[in-house]
Amino acid sequence: MSGHPPASMTAIAIRAPGSPEVLEPRPHPVPGIGAGDVLIRVVAAGVNRPDLMQRQGRYPPPPGAPDTPGLEVAGTIVAVGPSACDWRVGDAVCALVAGGGYAEYCAAPAVQCLPVPRGLTMIEAAALPETFFTVWTNVFERGRLQAGETMLVHGGSSGIGTTAISLGRAFGATVYATAGTPEKCAACERLGAAAAINYRTDDFVAVVRERTAGTGVNLVLDMVGGDYVGRNLEALAVEGRLVQIAFLRGARAEINLAPVMQKRLTITGSTLRPRTPEEKGAIARALLQHVWPRIERGDVRPVIHATVPLERASEAHAMLEAGEHVGKIVLVVENVATHPRR
Ligand SMILES: NC(=O)c1ccc[n+]([C@@H]2O[C@H](COP(=O)([O-])OP(=O)(O)OC[C@H]3O[C@@H](n4cnc5c(N)ncnc54)[C@H](OP(=O)(O)O)[C@@H]3O)[C@@H](O)[C@H]2O)c1
């Protein structure tokens, strides 16, 4: 281990399960690192919906993960474990972590770090890991999306949704999206969705059928669940794939299995956080090879809705809960020097 991090830092604690006000800045020991880890001086940390669930006591950190919330950071490496050979002190990285991101320093498995892409600020880089790892593994690995195919993305204006629209389009798919207001629908279309469907006023199954000349889409990326499951199966084409990544309207659904058999559908899904560092490392390598060059060319860019100082993490949670955002909300550690584009 090298570098000289301090012994103590500010981190955001969850005082007790509850509303956003339970988040408060507190002094916290700087985390130690294992042989395969790096210690990052955090410049910015992404805020994600799973953080809200953790704050409410509905999504406890997996065994061994820190209690401090925060699943992604960007910053500068200040210490390197003996087996974390790919990184040096001073490297600018973004990292997927199992917790601990809402803090001035964060430990991360070296394999889960990626270089800050050229042309992006640290704030933009902090918005990448959680949604890019999730979309890559679910849409491209599990869902096998190919150029020339069609995809329907629910929650198109969310952090995950904006990433799925951008990546789907960058890889040559035609993307449809759903969102809850005309403004959010317009944002999805600006990002590259061929059409965005206001699910409060229009039936997405009917619109998708009309847009695809009756065949349906090849892939549905769904975070809604509940009554959407049966409708997603209706919206899929022959050999279509339904990829479930959350269930905002409930985990249970009664479905008609006939379309699964008639259209030879695949229903799959996954959750990122409990996967092993080795599995997350494999996703990181795939992103570095296939996606980072597209970010550096400017084909794909994270959508930042707002930045909020780390100490005011409760405001960031209230903002995400209000649900008016398009893209990501990012916490910024204020006393760190500014973060020019690399
Ligand atoms: N499986 C995984 O590995 C994984 C990883 C990361 C995140 N996730 C999940 O993915 C989801 C999105 O995460 P995020 O951080 O991108 O969250 P986010 O930005 O807060 O987005 C949530 C979205 O859900 C939509 N929504 C909420 N309630 C809805 C409902 N009843 N019907 C239809 N749409 C609804 C909202 O859109 P409207 O305002 O348009 O309704 C909003 O765009 C979360 O549920 C999260 O837990 C899963």
Side-chain angles (χ1 to χ4, degrees):
M1 183 155 156
S2 46
H4 302 286
S8 180
M9 64 175 185
T10 298
I12 301 300
I14 302 171
R15 200 171 52 238
S19 55
E21 298 72 48
V22 302
L23 295 180
E24 59 183 25
R26 278 193 197 158
H28 192 286
V30 168
I33 57 170
D37 296 339
V38 298
L39 184 66
I40 299 168
R41 185 175 188 204
V42 177
V43 173
V47 178
N48 294 283
R49 189 150 287 260
D51 307 346
L52 310 187
M53 291 157 58
Q54 179 174 342
R55 191 203 72 222
Q56 292 159 349
R58 296 193 291 130
Y59 191 42
D67 291 336
T68 305
L71 301 173
E72 58 186 352
V73 296
T76 306
I77 292 181
V78 293
V80 178
S83 356
C85 333
D86 289 344
W87 299 109
R88 302 273 169 276
V89 168
D91 284 348
V93 292
C94 55
L96 179 79
V97 290
Y102 293 11
E104 290 179 308
Y105 290 86
C106 179
V111 292
Q112 293 173 210
C113 297
L114 284 152
V116 171
R118 269 189 304 280
L120 257 57
T121 64
M122 286 279 195
I123 290 170
E124 289 170 313
L128 296 174
E130 178 68 11
T131 67
F132 277 65
F133 277 66
T134 299
V135 169
W136 181 262
T137 193
N138 284 291
V139 169
F140 294 94
E141 293 180 342
R142 306 198 76 73
R144 308 183 306 277
L145 184 70
Q146 303 292 322
E149 287 195 323
T150 50
M151 168 167 69
L152 173 65
V153 175
H154 290 301
S157 62
S158 65
I160 295 278
T162 51
T163 301
I165 294 171
S166 307
L167 282 181
R169 203 190 104 143
F171 280 84
T174 301
V175 184
Y176 303 102
T178 63
T181 66
E183 295 73 27
K184 287 182 173 184
C185 286
C188 293
E189 290 180 355
R190 278 196 300 279
L191 263 176
I197 305 152
N198 184 339
Y199 67 83
R200 295 184 203 277
T201 56
D202 291 312
D203 172 10
F204 69 80
V205 178
V207 176
V208 159
R209 284 221 180 110
E210 186 191 311
R211 286 274 175 169
T212 56
T215 58
V217 287
N218 302 112
L219 192 152
V220 176
L221 181 68
D222 186 36
M223 59 182 71
V224 180
D227 64 317
Y228 269 35
V229 181
R231 296 168 70 202
N232 287 336
L233 299 180
E234 282 180 52
L236 280 169
V238 169
E239 300 283 357
R241 290 85 69 193
L242 169 59
V243 185
Q244 203 70 47
I245 56 162
F247 35 82
L248 290 162
R249 285 200 195 173
R252 291 175 186 276
E254 189 177 306
I255 57 164
N256 176 5
L257 287 170
V260 177
M261 293 156 62
Q262 286 157 354
K263 295 194 279 186
R264 300 183 296 282
L265 304 179
T266 302
I267 304 175
T268 182
S270 73
T271 181
L272 183 63
R273 201 179 190 186
R275 296 184 76 179
T276 63
E278 289 70 31
E279 289 170 324
K280 292 174 183 171
I283 301 171
R285 287 194 298 279
L287 285 169
L288 187 62
Q289 185 183 349
H290 301 292
V291 176
W292 257 227
R294 290 173 191 269
I295 298 176
E296 296 192 340
R297 282 205 303 268
D299 298 349
V300 181
R301 198 168 201 98
V303 178
I304 309 295
H305 176 77
T307 59
V308 177
L310 174 69
E311 284 76 6
R312 287 164 37 201
S314 59
E315 289 175 28
H317 274 217
M319 200 185 285
L320 197 71
E321 235 154 55
E324 282 164 19
H325 61 286
V326 171
K328 300 275 302 199
I329 298 166
V330 177
L331 297 173
V332 180
V333 178
E334 286 225 298
N335 54 4
V336 175
T338 49
H339 354 91
R341 292 181 196 286
R342 289 180 69 230

